[in-house]
């Protein structure tokens, strides 16, 4: 505490105590989810703008923001990539996105520690979640990678988000997918996206059903097997912020434990 007065130390401590743990039940309280819930119910179709951070250069690791953005385009339906200008502030990007009717904004980059990262900003209520990629396998690196059915939204399966905090995290990601009516029978005309949480990690997989001819003796039959569409990735939530939809300024709500919790 050298060089710091007791009053300054206590003030800093009070500020620190306002930062929630990412496991707090009330992590996502204070955000208005009414419009977002209309996406989940199918009343509103989501539209996502994907771009990169303004400053994301690191000498230690190659910058992969554009690659990440391209992979995310294949994940989230109704998404569009925008090449961000060097002098464009976040507030300007948000205003542009809202004017064009986008409901979410995704920023991608490789941070100064060399971690690949995305930030999802809900343009309906200002909620923001930042994630690092624990693993990211691009489609080109997946053997026999299948192409998702065109003009068909994937059916999203979500599981493992049981706590109030994780439900909010799932809601942020679910709001990037259009609502697809439930069906008991899987269809070759529609792919399936899997979103599962285990031990504070979010796993994403994407498959479609493909038919192949099976020859046995004098007879042949058609077998339907799941085939991965990619990309394959694992995310870890690092922070939750409130973003001003007018200025782009952020206020930290919750952060991961710096010791790895």
């Amino acid at each position: 505490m050298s060089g710091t007065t007791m009053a300054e130390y206590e003030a800093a401590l009070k500020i620190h105590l306002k930062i929630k743990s990412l496991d707090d039940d009330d992590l996502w309280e204070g955000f208005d989810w009414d419009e977002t819930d209309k996406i989940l119910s199918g009343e509103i179709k989501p539209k996502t703008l994907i771009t990169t951070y303004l400053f994301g250069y690191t000498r230690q690791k190659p910058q992969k923001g554009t690659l990440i953005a391209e992979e995310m385009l294949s994940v989230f339906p109704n998404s569009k990539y925008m090449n961000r200008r060097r002098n464009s502030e976040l507030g300007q990007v948000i205003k542009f996105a809202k004017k064009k009717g986008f409901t979410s904004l995704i920023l991608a980059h490789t941070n100064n520690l060399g971690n690949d990262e995305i930030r999802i900003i809900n343009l309906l209520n200002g909620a923001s979640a930042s994630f690092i990629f624990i693993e990211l396998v691009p489609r080109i690196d997946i053997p026999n990678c299948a192409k998702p059915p065109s003009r068909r939204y994937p059916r999203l399966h979500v599981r493992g988000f049981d706590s109030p905090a994780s439900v909010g995290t799932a809601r942020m990601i679910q709001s990037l997918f259009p609502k697809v009516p439930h069906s008991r029978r899987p269809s070759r005309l529609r792919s399936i996206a899997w979103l599962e949480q285990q031990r504070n990690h979010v796993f994403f997989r994407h498959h479609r059903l493909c038919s192949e001819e099976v020859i046995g003796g004098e007879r042949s039959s058609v077998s339907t097997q799941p085939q991965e569409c990619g990309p394959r990735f694992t995310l870890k939530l690092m922070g939750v912020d409130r973003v001003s939809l007018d200025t782009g300024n952020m206020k930290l709500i919750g952060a991961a434990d710096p010791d790895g919790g």
Side-chain angles (χ1 to χ4, degrees):
M1 204 172 70
S2 176
T4 304
T5 67
M6 180 59 71
E8 290 172 337
Y9 174 77
E10 290 177 350
L13 182 61
K14 289 179 180 179
I15 292 174
H16 174 73
L17 291 176
K18 291 181 181 179
I19 305 304
K20 301 178 186 294
S21 163
L22 296 180
D23 294 322
D24 283 359
D25 288 350
D26 60 350
L27 177 65
W28 297 97
E29 287 187 3
F31 293 106
D32 184 354
W33 296 102
D34 289 348
E35 292 300 304
T36 302
D37 287 342
K38 291 181 181 179
I39 295 178
L40 305 188
S41 67
E43 294 180 58
I44 296 177
K45 184 180 294 185
K47 187 179 178 183
T48 303
L49 180 64
I50 302 176
T51 187
T52 57
Y53 277 74
L54 185 58
F55 303 106
Y57 176 74
T58 171
R59 293 183 178 180
Q60 291 76 20
K61 297 285 184 177
Q63 178 55 240
K64 296 192 291 185
T66 303
L67 170 65
I68 298 169
E70 290 176 353
E71 293 297 325
M72 295 303 100
L73 281 173
S74 70
V75 172
F76 304 118
N78 292 337
S79 59
K80 180 179 180 181
Y81 176 74
M82 181 183 74
N83 189 21
R84 189 170 176 182
R85 294 179 298 179
R86 289 182 178 272
N87 60 347
S88 60
E89 299 293 337
L90 179 57
Q92 295 174 310
V93 176
I94 289 175
K95 288 181 180 179
F96 169 82
K98 287 181 64 65
K99 183 178 180 180
K100 295 296 183 179
F102 290 97
T103 55
S104 292
L105 171 66
I106 294 180
L107 306 174
H109 78 150
T110 303
N111 64 27
N112 292 331
L113 298 177
N115 298 317
D116 297 330
E117 180 180 358
I118 60 170
R119 177 181 293 275
I120 301 172
I121 299 176
N122 187 316
L123 298 177
L124 301 177
N125 65 4
S128 170
S130 60
F131 301 86
I132 60 170
F133 286 92
I134 304 300
E135 176 190 39
L136 172 60
V137 182
R139 291 163 295 163
I140 194 172
D141 293 335
I142 296 177
N144 302 317
C145 186
K147 185 177 180 181
S150 60
R151 293 180 290 182
R152 290 275 185 167
Y153 298 135
R155 179 173 289 110
L156 184 64
H157 288 249
V158 179
R159 59 189 179 190
F161 296 86
D162 302 320
S163 69
S166 65
V167 167
T169 303
R171 184 185 260 160
M172 286 288 290
I173 304 176
Q174 283 179 281
S175 65
L176 303 172
F177 290 87
K179 174 71 173 179
V180 173
H182 177 72
S183 175
R184 293 184 178 181
R185 299 181 62 184
S187 171
R188 286 176 293 174
L189 301 178
R190 194 183 300 279
S191 60
I192 300 175
W194 301 90
L195 196 65
E196 181 173 0
Q197 177 175 264
Q198 296 181 14
R199 300 181 299 278
N200 295 322
H201 290 71
V202 178
F203 297 84
F204 177 84
R205 301 292 185 270
H206 188 194
H207 294 83
R208 67 168 296 180
L209 294 178
C210 296
S211 299
E212 58 181 20
E213 187 176 11
V214 179
I215 300 176
E218 298 180 355
R219 295 185 177 182
S220 63
S221 61
V222 176
S223 173
T224 302
Q225 300 291 337
Q227 190 172 357
E228 192 167 4
C229 300
R232 182 192 313 157
F233 57 83
T234 304
L235 298 172
K236 182 177 181 181
L237 179 65
M238 298 303 293
V240 172
D241 299 83
R242 180 184 296 277
V243 179
S244 168
L245 299 180
D246 295 319
T247 65
N249 293 335
M250 296 189 186
K251 178 183 178 182
L252 183 62
I253 301 296
D257 188 332
D259 295 326

